[in-house]
Amino acid sequence: MNDEMEMQIINILKTKLDINCEDLSKDTALSDLNIESLLFIEIIVTLETEFKIELDDSDLDFASYETINDLIRVVLIHKDQSGGFNV
Amino acid sequence: MYKTVKHQLFILPFSGGSVKYYNKWLTHLNPSIQVELIEMAGRGIRKSDVKYNNFDEATLDLFKIIKNKVDTSNFYIFGHSLGALLAYEISLKFQTEQLDLPKAVYLSGRTSPFYRFHENVEQLSSNEIIKELQSLGVEDIDIYKHPRAGKYYLSLLCGDYNLTKTYCKQEPILSKVNGHIFYGITDPFAVDINSWQDYFENKLDIHCFLGSHFYINNNFKEIIEIINKNIVLSWKNKIYVK
């Protein structure tokens, strides 16, 4: 289930950034993707909608993320807290 | 046989900003300069660290971090706006602690400690703060207007403004460090920029650029060129080793 979510998150990034999946992995540094803070917030809002979660305010700080895996981890934590996955 | 001299440049963040803003500087700085981006507690990768209660706590925390990372006598500190005040105060800590001093401090976008700003920030509405940011030329103004994140980013900014309110400089303490001042010609926070001379023993180098508070966005390459020349050429980056 985590693998599915990871793929979903990477797909969302691919769409938002208009790049190929092959170019993205969990270890990709966000600084390599030329993401501005506003685009990052749009990504966050999309993730919140897709996974039916609400991140903490401190999770909105783009500077606190180094890699895509950091983003995946935050989504997984909030998904767990929200009571599991939708089937 | 020649040995390359190592230089360390410590960079501090500005109000409301992450020090990651300076990532774009890295490829332009001379390769002999090791850059250390120093984040404040409660921000970025230090978001879990407890935020500062006052300016002195920030100075002490960042001073300790820099002191522990210094591993050459050729180290320098850069700061813009809030970062400029911090850079100045941190360099004074090295002086009062009788440690090796930074070779220079680069203070950008802020006049001397004599002048105080944002004393009444709690009375300003979000719209008023955003309007001010717009006039200052902030790069990502839309983040402050965003319905999901705007309130949070404004809180980061106001938190830093409140930090500066706790900064109190009764009398200038003369810094023995070489000082370089950079500022935008229409920056309201750079009034009487020459007043910085009251805080330094040595004559300052003062560089003026077109632009307001965030002149730094469009002039960073020129700033870096000055820093590169100051650090590298003045130390002739190779010394002879027997």
Side-chain angles (χ1 to χ4, degrees), chain B residues 88 104-107 110-113 174-183 192-207 230:
Chain B
Y88 166 71
V105 287
Y106 305 101
L107 311 181
R110 219 272 179 202
T111 186
S112 70
L174 282 181
S175 170
K176 298 180 188 297
V177 176
N178 291 321
H180 300 259
I181 312 294
F182 304 93
Y183 73 104
D192 192 17
I193 200 74
N194 292 318
S195 59
W196 266 117
Q197 191 60 74
D198 295 335
Y199 295 78
F200 286 86
E201 274 187 11
N202 301 325
K203 190 169 186 311
L204 293 170
D205 276 339
I206 300 182
H207 307 272
N230 176 250

PDB file of all heavy atoms in Angstrom, chain B residues 88 104-107 110-113 174-183 192-207 230:
ATOM      1  N   TYR B  88      26.682  40.771  12.370  1.00  0.00           N
ATOM      2  CA  TYR B  88      27.444  41.758  13.146  1.00  0.00           C
ATOM      3  C   TYR B  88      27.590  41.298  14.599  1.00  0.00           C
ATOM      4  O   TYR B  88      28.694  41.275  15.153  1.00  0.00           O
ATOM      5  CB  TYR B  88      26.761  43.119  13.064  1.00  0.00           C
ATOM      6  CG  TYR B  88      27.267  44.114  14.084  1.00  0.00           C
ATOM      7  CD1 TYR B  88      28.539  44.665  13.980  1.00  0.00           C
ATOM      8  CD2 TYR B  88      26.476  44.488  15.164  1.00  0.00           C
ATOM      9  CE1 TYR B  88      29.014  45.565  14.926  1.00  0.00           C
ATOM     10  CE2 TYR B  88      26.941  45.382  16.113  1.00  0.00           C
ATOM     11  CZ  TYR B  88      28.212  45.912  15.991  1.00  0.00           C
ATOM     12  OH  TYR B  88      28.670  46.787  16.938  1.00  0.00           O
ATOM     13  N   ALA B 104      36.153  38.936   7.608  1.00  0.00           N
ATOM     14  CA  ALA B 104      35.257  40.018   7.199  1.00  0.00           C
ATOM     15  C   ALA B 104      33.818  39.612   7.467  1.00  0.00           C
ATOM     16  O   ALA B 104      33.503  38.427   7.564  1.00  0.00           O
ATOM     17  CB  ALA B 104      35.425  40.348   5.715  1.00  0.00           C
ATOM     18  N   VAL B 105      32.978  40.629   7.631  1.00  0.00           N
ATOM     19  CA  VAL B 105      31.530  40.399   7.638  1.00  0.00           C
ATOM     20  C   VAL B 105      30.936  41.178   6.475  1.00  0.00           C
ATOM     21  O   VAL B 105      31.385  42.284   6.148  1.00  0.00           O
ATOM     22  CB  VAL B 105      30.845  40.820   8.959  1.00  0.00           C
ATOM     23  CG1 VAL B 105      31.182  39.844  10.066  1.00  0.00           C
ATOM     24  CG2 VAL B 105      31.179  42.243   9.347  1.00  0.00           C
ATOM     25  N   TYR B 106      29.948  40.566   5.846  1.00  0.00           N
ATOM     26  CA  TYR B 106      29.249  41.198   4.731  1.00  0.00           C
ATOM     27  C   TYR B 106      27.819  41.454   5.194  1.00  0.00           C
ATOM     28  O   TYR B 106      27.072  40.519   5.438  1.00  0.00           O
ATOM     29  CB  TYR B 106      29.265  40.294   3.496  1.00  0.00           C
ATOM     30  CG  TYR B 106      30.658  39.887   3.081  1.00  0.00           C
ATOM     31  CD1 TYR B 106      31.153  38.625   3.399  1.00  0.00           C
ATOM     32  CD2 TYR B 106      31.494  40.768   2.396  1.00  0.00           C
ATOM     33  CE1 TYR B 106      32.442  38.256   3.038  1.00  0.00           C
ATOM     34  CE2 TYR B 106      32.786  40.406   2.028  1.00  0.00           C
ATOM     35  CZ  TYR B 106      33.259  39.146   2.364  1.00  0.00           C
ATOM     36  OH  TYR B 106      34.526  38.776   2.019  1.00  0.00           O
ATOM     37  N   LEU B 107      27.488  42.720   5.333  1.00  0.00           N
ATOM     38  CA  LEU B 107      26.193  43.095   5.891  1.00  0.00           C
ATOM     39  C   LEU B 107      25.355  43.741   4.801  1.00  0.00           C
ATOM     40  O   LEU B 107      25.728  44.779   4.250  1.00  0.00           O
ATOM     41  CB  LEU B 107      26.384  44.076   7.063  1.00  0.00           C
ATOM     42  CG  LEU B 107      27.418  43.643   8.105  1.00  0.00           C
ATOM     43  CD1 LEU B 107      27.503  44.681   9.229  1.00  0.00           C
ATOM     44  CD2 LEU B 107      27.102  42.279   8.683  1.00  0.00           C
ATOM     45  N   ARG B 110      20.525  46.478   5.418  1.00  0.00           N
ATOM     46  CA  ARG B 110      20.111  46.936   6.739  1.00  0.00           C
ATOM     47  C   ARG B 110      21.071  48.004   7.204  1.00  0.00           C
ATOM     48  O   ARG B 110      22.283  47.842   7.130  1.00  0.00           O
ATOM     49  CB  ARG B 110      20.130  45.767   7.719  1.00  0.00           C
ATOM     50  CG  ARG B 110      18.967  45.757   8.721  1.00  0.00           C
ATOM     51  CD  ARG B 110      19.279  46.536   9.941  1.00  0.00           C
ATOM     52  NE  ARG B 110      18.152  46.542  10.870  1.00  0.00           N
ATOM     53  CZ  ARG B 110      17.966  47.451  11.796  1.00  0.00           C
ATOM     54  NH1 ARG B 110      18.832  48.446  11.935  1.00  0.00           N
ATOM     55  NH2 ARG B 110      16.925  47.396  12.602  1.00  0.00           N
ATOM     56  N   THR B 111      20.503  49.096   7.718  1.00  0.00           N
ATOM     57  CA  THR B 111      21.359  50.130   8.265  1.00  0.00           C
ATOM     58  C   THR B 111      21.826  49.681   9.650  1.00  0.00           C
ATOM     59  O   THR B 111      21.529  48.588  10.103  1.00  0.00           O
ATOM     60  CB  THR B 111      20.627  51.482   8.327  1.00  0.00           C
ATOM     61  OG1 THR B 111      21.559  52.489   8.740  1.00  0.00           O
ATOM     62  CG2 THR B 111      19.447  51.445   9.286  1.00  0.00           C
ATOM     63  N   SER B 112      22.530  50.556  10.333  1.00  0.00           N
ATOM     64  CA  SER B 112      23.164  50.203  11.602  1.00  0.00           C
ATOM     65  C   SER B 112      22.127  49.914  12.687  1.00  0.00           C
ATOM     66  O   SER B 112      20.953  50.293  12.570  1.00  0.00           O
ATOM     67  CB  SER B 112      24.067  51.352  12.060  1.00  0.00           C
ATOM     68  OG  SER B 112      23.267  52.451  12.452  1.00  0.00           O
ATOM     69  N   PRO B 113      22.564  49.256  13.781  1.00  0.00           N
ATOM     70  CA  PRO B 113      21.665  48.915  14.889  1.00  0.00           C
ATOM     71  C   PRO B 113      20.992  50.130  15.535  1.00  0.00           C
ATOM     72  O   PRO B 113      20.005  49.983  16.251  1.00  0.00           O
ATOM     73  CB  PRO B 113      22.597  48.221  15.888  1.00  0.00           C
ATOM     74  CG  PRO B 113      23.702  47.676  15.060  1.00  0.00           C
ATOM     75  CD  PRO B 113      23.901  48.660  13.970  1.00  0.00           C
ATOM     76  N   LEU B 174      32.731  48.769  19.049  1.00  0.00           N
ATOM     77  CA  LEU B 174      33.515  48.804  17.817  1.00  0.00           C
ATOM     78  C   LEU B 174      33.995  47.408  17.437  1.00  0.00           C
ATOM     79  O   LEU B 174      34.702  46.755  18.191  1.00  0.00           O
ATOM     80  CB  LEU B 174      34.724  49.730  17.975  1.00  0.00           C
ATOM     81  CG  LEU B 174      34.428  51.225  17.881  1.00  0.00           C
ATOM     82  CD1 LEU B 174      35.719  52.025  18.042  1.00  0.00           C
ATOM     83  CD2 LEU B 174      33.765  51.567  16.557  1.00  0.00           C
ATOM     84  N   SER B 175      33.593  46.986  16.240  1.00  0.00           N
ATOM     85  CA  SER B 175      34.051  45.692  15.737  1.00  0.00           C
ATOM     86  C   SER B 175      35.430  45.869  15.119  1.00  0.00           C
ATOM     87  O   SER B 175      35.697  46.848  14.410  1.00  0.00           O
ATOM     88  CB  SER B 175      33.072  45.166  14.690  1.00  0.00           C
ATOM     89  OG  SER B 175      33.609  44.035  14.041  1.00  0.00           O
ATOM     90  N   LYS B 176      36.310  44.894  15.382  1.00  0.00           N
ATOM     91  CA  LYS B 176      37.648  44.929  14.801  1.00  0.00           C
ATOM     92  C   LYS B 176      37.691  44.213  13.458  1.00  0.00           C
ATOM     93  O   LYS B 176      38.723  44.140  12.803  1.00  0.00           O
ATOM     94  CB  LYS B 176      38.646  44.250  15.751  1.00  0.00           C
ATOM     95  CG  LYS B 176      38.773  44.938  17.099  1.00  0.00           C
ATOM     96  CD  LYS B 176      39.774  44.202  17.983  1.00  0.00           C
ATOM     97  CE  LYS B 176      39.798  44.740  19.398  1.00  0.00           C
ATOM     98  NZ  LYS B 176      40.225  46.147  19.479  1.00  0.00           N
ATOM     99  N   VAL B 177      36.525  43.667  13.065  1.00  0.00           N
ATOM    100  CA  VAL B 177      36.452  42.891  11.829  1.00  0.00           C
ATOM    101  C   VAL B 177      36.317  43.838  10.637  1.00  0.00           C
ATOM    102  O   VAL B 177      35.710  44.914  10.753  1.00  0.00           O
ATOM    103  CB  VAL B 177      35.226  41.943  11.900  1.00  0.00           C
ATOM    104  CG1 VAL B 177      35.044  41.174  10.604  1.00  0.00           C
ATOM    105  CG2 VAL B 177      35.383  40.992  13.076  1.00  0.00           C
ATOM    106  N   ASN B 178      36.842  43.431   9.497  1.00  0.00           N
ATOM    107  CA  ASN B 178      36.630  44.219   8.279  1.00  0.00           C
ATOM    108  C   ASN B 178      35.169  44.098   7.850  1.00  0.00           C
ATOM    109  O   ASN B 178      34.616  43.002   7.841  1.00  0.00           O
ATOM    110  CB  ASN B 178      37.531  43.710   7.145  1.00  0.00           C
ATOM    111  CG  ASN B 178      38.991  44.009   7.422  1.00  0.00           C
ATOM    112  OD1 ASN B 178      39.330  45.073   7.943  1.00  0.00           O
ATOM    113  ND2 ASN B 178      39.863  43.069   7.117  1.00  0.00           N
ATOM    114  N   GLY B 179      34.573  45.211   7.524  1.00  0.00           N
ATOM    115  CA  GLY B 179      33.157  45.207   7.198  1.00  0.00           C
ATOM    116  C   GLY B 179      32.888  45.652   5.767  1.00  0.00           C
ATOM    117  O   GLY B 179      33.514  46.587   5.262  1.00  0.00           O
ATOM    118  N   HIS B 180      31.962  44.966   5.137  1.00  0.00           N
ATOM    119  CA  HIS B 180      31.502  45.329   3.797  1.00  0.00           C
ATOM    120  C   HIS B 180      29.988  45.472   3.860  1.00  0.00           C
ATOM    121  O   HIS B 180      29.308  44.580   4.352  1.00  0.00           O
ATOM    122  CB  HIS B 180      31.881  44.260   2.779  1.00  0.00           C
ATOM    123  CG  HIS B 180      33.351  44.042   2.671  1.00  0.00           C
ATOM    124  ND1 HIS B 180      34.123  44.577   1.657  1.00  0.00           N
ATOM    125  CD2 HIS B 180      34.206  43.363   3.476  1.00  0.00           C
ATOM    126  CE1 HIS B 180      35.390  44.230   1.843  1.00  0.00           C
ATOM    127  NE2 HIS B 180      35.464  43.495   2.941  1.00  0.00           N
ATOM    128  N   ILE B 181      29.507  46.594   3.388  1.00  0.00           N
ATOM    129  CA  ILE B 181      28.075  46.874   3.452  1.00  0.00           C
ATOM    130  C   ILE B 181      27.517  46.887   2.033  1.00  0.00           C
ATOM    131  O   ILE B 181      28.096  47.522   1.134  1.00  0.00           O
ATOM    132  CB  ILE B 181      27.817  48.252   4.111  1.00  0.00           C
ATOM    133  CG1 ILE B 181      28.614  48.406   5.402  1.00  0.00           C
ATOM    134  CG2 ILE B 181      26.326  48.481   4.320  1.00  0.00           C
ATOM    135  CD1 ILE B 181      28.216  47.482   6.523  1.00  0.00           C
ATOM    136  N   PHE B 182      26.389  46.217   1.851  1.00  0.00           N
ATOM    137  CA  PHE B 182      25.691  46.210   0.560  1.00  0.00           C
ATOM    138  C   PHE B 182      24.260  46.688   0.798  1.00  0.00           C
ATOM    139  O   PHE B 182      23.624  46.282   1.775  1.00  0.00           O
ATOM    140  CB  PHE B 182      25.618  44.790  -0.016  1.00  0.00           C
ATOM    141  CG  PHE B 182      26.953  44.103  -0.182  1.00  0.00           C
ATOM    142  CD1 PHE B 182      27.453  43.288   0.818  1.00  0.00           C
ATOM    143  CD2 PHE B 182      27.683  44.250  -1.341  1.00  0.00           C
ATOM    144  CE1 PHE B 182      28.679  42.638   0.673  1.00  0.00           C
ATOM    145  CE2 PHE B 182      28.914  43.606  -1.498  1.00  0.00           C
ATOM    146  CZ  PHE B 182      29.401  42.798  -0.489  1.00  0.00           C
ATOM    147  N   TYR B 183      23.756  47.521  -0.112  1.00  0.00           N
ATOM    148  CA  TYR B 183      22.375  47.950   0.088  1.00  0.00           C
ATOM    149  C   TYR B 183      21.741  48.412  -1.214  1.00  0.00           C
ATOM    150  O   TYR B 183      22.440  48.772  -2.169  1.00  0.00           O
ATOM    151  CB  TYR B 183      22.297  49.065   1.138  1.00  0.00           C
ATOM    152  CG  TYR B 183      22.810  50.415   0.673  1.00  0.00           C
ATOM    153  CD1 TYR B 183      21.929  51.438   0.335  1.00  0.00           C
ATOM    154  CD2 TYR B 183      24.185  50.671   0.588  1.00  0.00           C
ATOM    155  CE1 TYR B 183      22.400  52.672  -0.083  1.00  0.00           C
ATOM    156  CE2 TYR B 183      24.660  51.898   0.164  1.00  0.00           C
ATOM    157  CZ  TYR B 183      23.764  52.896  -0.162  1.00  0.00           C
ATOM    158  OH  TYR B 183      24.230  54.113  -0.584  1.00  0.00           O
ATOM    159  N   ASP B 192      20.655  56.157   6.102  1.00  0.00           N
ATOM    160  CA  ASP B 192      21.877  56.525   6.828  1.00  0.00           C
ATOM    161  C   ASP B 192      22.826  55.337   6.923  1.00  0.00           C
ATOM    162  O   ASP B 192      23.314  54.988   8.006  1.00  0.00           O
ATOM    163  CB  ASP B 192      21.511  57.057   8.221  1.00  0.00           C
ATOM    164  CG  ASP B 192      22.693  57.724   8.916  1.00  0.00           C
ATOM    165  OD1 ASP B 192      23.684  58.060   8.231  1.00  0.00           O
ATOM    166  OD2 ASP B 192      22.640  57.883  10.155  1.00  0.00           O
ATOM    167  N   ILE B 193      23.046  54.696   5.794  1.00  0.00           N
ATOM    168  CA  ILE B 193      23.853  53.472   5.768  1.00  0.00           C
ATOM    169  C   ILE B 193      25.248  53.711   6.320  1.00  0.00           C
ATOM    170  O   ILE B 193      25.882  52.817   6.880  1.00  0.00           O
ATOM    171  CB  ILE B 193      23.892  52.877   4.337  1.00  0.00           C
ATOM    172  CG1 ILE B 193      24.285  51.408   4.348  1.00  0.00           C
ATOM    173  CG2 ILE B 193      24.811  53.676   3.435  1.00  0.00           C
ATOM    174  CD1 ILE B 193      23.212  50.467   4.830  1.00  0.00           C
ATOM    175  N   ASN B 194      25.751  54.956   6.164  1.00  0.00           N
ATOM    176  CA  ASN B 194      27.090  55.265   6.660  1.00  0.00           C
ATOM    177  C   ASN B 194      27.204  55.194   8.183  1.00  0.00           C
ATOM    178  O   ASN B 194      28.305  55.169   8.726  1.00  0.00           O
ATOM    179  CB  ASN B 194      27.520  56.660   6.197  1.00  0.00           C
ATOM    180  CG  ASN B 194      27.733  56.706   4.696  1.00  0.00           C
ATOM    181  OD1 ASN B 194      28.303  55.788   4.109  1.00  0.00           O
ATOM    182  ND2 ASN B 194      27.259  57.754   4.051  1.00  0.00           N
ATOM    183  N   SER B 195      26.043  55.137   8.859  1.00  0.00           N
ATOM    184  CA  SER B 195      26.076  55.057  10.325  1.00  0.00           C
ATOM    185  C   SER B 195      26.716  53.747  10.793  1.00  0.00           C
ATOM    186  O   SER B 195      27.116  53.628  11.953  1.00  0.00           O
ATOM    187  CB  SER B 195      24.672  55.192  10.914  1.00  0.00           C
ATOM    188  OG  SER B 195      23.813  54.175  10.427  1.00  0.00           O
ATOM    189  N   TRP B 196      26.824  52.776   9.888  1.00  0.00           N
ATOM    190  CA  TRP B 196      27.517  51.538  10.255  1.00  0.00           C
ATOM    191  C   TRP B 196      28.971  51.816  10.663  1.00  0.00           C
ATOM    192  O   TRP B 196      29.567  51.068  11.430  1.00  0.00           O
ATOM    193  CB  TRP B 196      27.532  50.547   9.085  1.00  0.00           C
ATOM    194  CG  TRP B 196      26.410  49.547   9.079  1.00  0.00           C
ATOM    195  CD1 TRP B 196      25.441  49.413   8.134  1.00  0.00           C
ATOM    196  CD2 TRP B 196      26.165  48.508  10.056  1.00  0.00           C
ATOM    197  NE1 TRP B 196      24.594  48.369   8.452  1.00  0.00           N
ATOM    198  CE2 TRP B 196      25.016  47.797   9.622  1.00  0.00           C
ATOM    199  CE3 TRP B 196      26.779  48.115  11.244  1.00  0.00           C
ATOM    200  CZ2 TRP B 196      24.482  46.720  10.330  1.00  0.00           C
ATOM    201  CZ3 TRP B 196      26.246  47.034  11.951  1.00  0.00           C
ATOM    202  CH2 TRP B 196      25.108  46.352  11.489  1.00  0.00           C
ATOM    203  N   GLN B 197      29.551  52.935  10.148  1.00  0.00           N
ATOM    204  CA  GLN B 197      30.950  53.228  10.451  1.00  0.00           C
ATOM    205  C   GLN B 197      31.171  53.441  11.946  1.00  0.00           C
ATOM    206  O   GLN B 197      32.270  53.217  12.462  1.00  0.00           O
ATOM    207  CB  GLN B 197      31.424  54.454   9.663  1.00  0.00           C
ATOM    208  CG  GLN B 197      32.914  54.661   9.705  1.00  0.00           C
ATOM    209  CD  GLN B 197      33.712  53.481   9.118  1.00  0.00           C
ATOM    210  OE1 GLN B 197      33.757  53.285   7.913  1.00  0.00           O
ATOM    211  NE2 GLN B 197      34.370  52.705   9.973  1.00  0.00           N
ATOM    212  N   ASP B 198      30.102  53.851  12.653  1.00  0.00           N
ATOM    213  CA  ASP B 198      30.223  54.040  14.101  1.00  0.00           C
ATOM    214  C   ASP B 198      30.420  52.724  14.832  1.00  0.00           C
ATOM    215  O   ASP B 198      30.696  52.708  16.032  1.00  0.00           O
ATOM    216  CB  ASP B 198      28.957  54.709  14.665  1.00  0.00           C
ATOM    217  CG  ASP B 198      28.767  56.112  14.126  1.00  0.00           C
ATOM    218  OD1 ASP B 198      29.771  56.747  13.725  1.00  0.00           O
ATOM    219  OD2 ASP B 198      27.607  56.578  14.103  1.00  0.00           O
ATOM    220  N   TYR B 199      30.235  51.603  14.109  1.00  0.00           N
ATOM    221  CA  TYR B 199      30.276  50.286  14.755  1.00  0.00           C
ATOM    222  C   TYR B 199      31.519  49.487  14.372  1.00  0.00           C
ATOM    223  O   TYR B 199      31.670  48.338  14.790  1.00  0.00           O
ATOM    224  CB  TYR B 199      29.011  49.492  14.405  1.00  0.00           C
ATOM    225  CG  TYR B 199      27.756  50.129  14.972  1.00  0.00           C
ATOM    226  CD1 TYR B 199      27.184  51.237  14.362  1.00  0.00           C
ATOM    227  CD2 TYR B 199      27.159  49.631  16.132  1.00  0.00           C
ATOM    228  CE1 TYR B 199      26.065  51.849  14.902  1.00  0.00           C
ATOM    229  CE2 TYR B 199      26.023  50.225  16.660  1.00  0.00           C
ATOM    230  CZ  TYR B 199      25.488  51.343  16.047  1.00  0.00           C
ATOM    231  OH  TYR B 199      24.373  51.941  16.573  1.00  0.00           O
ATOM    232  N   PHE B 200      32.371  50.094  13.564  1.00  0.00           N
ATOM    233  CA  PHE B 200      33.561  49.380  13.102  1.00  0.00           C
ATOM    234  C   PHE B 200      34.797  50.241  13.269  1.00  0.00           C
ATOM    235  O   PHE B 200      34.761  51.447  13.039  1.00  0.00           O
ATOM    236  CB  PHE B 200      33.412  49.001  11.613  1.00  0.00           C
ATOM    237  CG  PHE B 200      32.467  47.865  11.361  1.00  0.00           C
ATOM    238  CD1 PHE B 200      31.107  48.088  11.224  1.00  0.00           C
ATOM    239  CD2 PHE B 200      32.950  46.565  11.256  1.00  0.00           C
ATOM    240  CE1 PHE B 200      30.230  47.031  11.002  1.00  0.00           C
ATOM    241  CE2 PHE B 200      32.088  45.508  11.021  1.00  0.00           C
ATOM    242  CZ  PHE B 200      30.721  45.740  10.893  1.00  0.00           C
ATOM    243  N   GLU B 201      35.904  49.612  13.663  1.00  0.00           N
ATOM    244  CA  GLU B 201      37.175  50.333  13.792  1.00  0.00           C
ATOM    245  C   GLU B 201      37.738  50.694  12.426  1.00  0.00           C
ATOM    246  O   GLU B 201      38.201  51.804  12.203  1.00  0.00           O
ATOM    247  CB  GLU B 201      38.205  49.457  14.521  1.00  0.00           C
ATOM    248  CG  GLU B 201      38.119  49.559  16.024  1.00  0.00           C
ATOM    249  CD  GLU B 201      39.262  48.826  16.717  1.00  0.00           C
ATOM    250  OE1 GLU B 201      40.232  48.423  16.033  1.00  0.00           O
ATOM    251  OE2 GLU B 201      39.177  48.668  17.943  1.00  0.00           O
ATOM    252  N   ASN B 202      37.708  49.697  11.525  1.00  0.00           N
ATOM    253  CA  ASN B 202      38.309  49.896  10.215  1.00  0.00           C
ATOM    254  C   ASN B 202      37.308  50.543   9.266  1.00  0.00           C
ATOM    255  O   ASN B 202      36.098  50.421   9.429  1.00  0.00           O
ATOM    256  CB  ASN B 202      38.769  48.552   9.626  1.00  0.00           C
ATOM    257  CG  ASN B 202      39.781  47.870  10.518  1.00  0.00           C
ATOM    258  OD1 ASN B 202      40.606  48.529  11.154  1.00  0.00           O
ATOM    259  ND2 ASN B 202      39.715  46.545  10.586  1.00  0.00           N
ATOM    260  N   LYS B 203      37.859  51.198   8.254  1.00  0.00           N
ATOM    261  CA  LYS B 203      36.991  51.857   7.280  1.00  0.00           C
ATOM    262  C   LYS B 203      36.199  50.797   6.518  1.00  0.00           C
ATOM    263  O   LYS B 203      36.752  49.795   6.074  1.00  0.00           O
ATOM    264  CB  LYS B 203      37.835  52.682   6.302  1.00  0.00           C
ATOM    265  CG  LYS B 203      37.004  53.597   5.407  1.00  0.00           C
ATOM    266  CD  LYS B 203      37.880  54.582   4.661  1.00  0.00           C
ATOM    267  CE  LYS B 203      37.065  55.600   3.885  1.00  0.00           C
ATOM    268  NZ  LYS B 203      35.992  55.035   3.057  1.00  0.00           N
ATOM    269  N   LEU B 204      34.916  51.057   6.375  1.00  0.00           N
ATOM    270  CA  LEU B 204      34.040  50.105   5.712  1.00  0.00           C
ATOM    271  C   LEU B 204      34.107  50.261   4.195  1.00  0.00           C
ATOM    272  O   LEU B 204      34.338  51.345   3.679  1.00  0.00           O
ATOM    273  CB  LEU B 204      32.585  50.340   6.133  1.00  0.00           C
ATOM    274  CG  LEU B 204      32.233  50.056   7.586  1.00  0.00           C
ATOM    275  CD1 LEU B 204      30.843  50.579   7.888  1.00  0.00           C
ATOM    276  CD2 LEU B 204      32.319  48.572   7.881  1.00  0.00           C
ATOM    277  N   ASP B 205      33.857  49.146   3.518  1.00  0.00           N
ATOM    278  CA  ASP B 205      33.593  49.204   2.079  1.00  0.00           C
ATOM    279  C   ASP B 205      32.085  49.207   1.904  1.00  0.00           C
ATOM    280  O   ASP B 205      31.428  48.297   2.409  1.00  0.00           O
ATOM    281  CB  ASP B 205      34.151  47.959   1.364  1.00  0.00           C
ATOM    282  CG  ASP B 205      35.609  48.120   1.031  1.00  0.00           C
ATOM    283  OD1 ASP B 205      36.089  49.276   0.969  1.00  0.00           O
ATOM    284  OD2 ASP B 205      36.281  47.097   0.836  1.00  0.00           O
ATOM    285  N   ILE B 206      31.562  50.205   1.241  1.00  0.00           N
ATOM    286  CA  ILE B 206      30.114  50.299   1.101  1.00  0.00           C
ATOM    287  C   ILE B 206      29.760  50.233  -0.381  1.00  0.00           C
ATOM    288  O   ILE B 206      30.313  50.973  -1.202  1.00  0.00           O
ATOM    289  CB  ILE B 206      29.580  51.603   1.732  1.00  0.00           C
ATOM    290  CG1 ILE B 206      29.947  51.621   3.218  1.00  0.00           C
ATOM    291  CG2 ILE B 206      28.073  51.710   1.529  1.00  0.00           C
ATOM    292  CD1 ILE B 206      29.454  52.831   3.983  1.00  0.00           C
ATOM    293  N   HIS B 207      28.833  49.331  -0.711  1.00  0.00           N
ATOM    294  CA  HIS B 207      28.446  49.106  -2.108  1.00  0.00           C
ATOM    295  C   HIS B 207      26.953  49.351  -2.254  1.00  0.00           C
ATOM    296  O   HIS B 207      26.153  48.749  -1.548  1.00  0.00           O
ATOM    297  CB  HIS B 207      28.769  47.669  -2.524  1.00  0.00           C
ATOM    298  CG  HIS B 207      30.189  47.264  -2.253  1.00  0.00           C
ATOM    299  ND1 HIS B 207      31.203  47.468  -3.163  1.00  0.00           N
ATOM    300  CD2 HIS B 207      30.765  46.684  -1.172  1.00  0.00           C
ATOM    301  CE1 HIS B 207      32.336  47.026  -2.646  1.00  0.00           C
ATOM    302  NE2 HIS B 207      32.108  46.552  -1.446  1.00  0.00           N
ATOM    303  N   ASN B 230      37.066  39.801  -2.777  1.00  0.00           N
ATOM    304  CA  ASN B 230      37.526  40.144  -1.442  1.00  0.00           C
ATOM    305  C   ASN B 230      38.169  38.951  -0.759  1.00  0.00           C
ATOM    306  O   ASN B 230      39.221  39.051  -0.144  1.00  0.00           O
ATOM    307  CB  ASN B 230      36.360  40.665  -0.609  1.00  0.00           C
ATOM    308  CG  ASN B 230      36.759  40.950   0.826  1.00  0.00           C
ATOM    309  OD1 ASN B 230      36.354  40.260   1.756  1.00  0.00           O
ATOM    310  ND2 ASN B 230      37.596  41.956   1.026  1.00  0.00           N
TER     311      ASN B 230
END
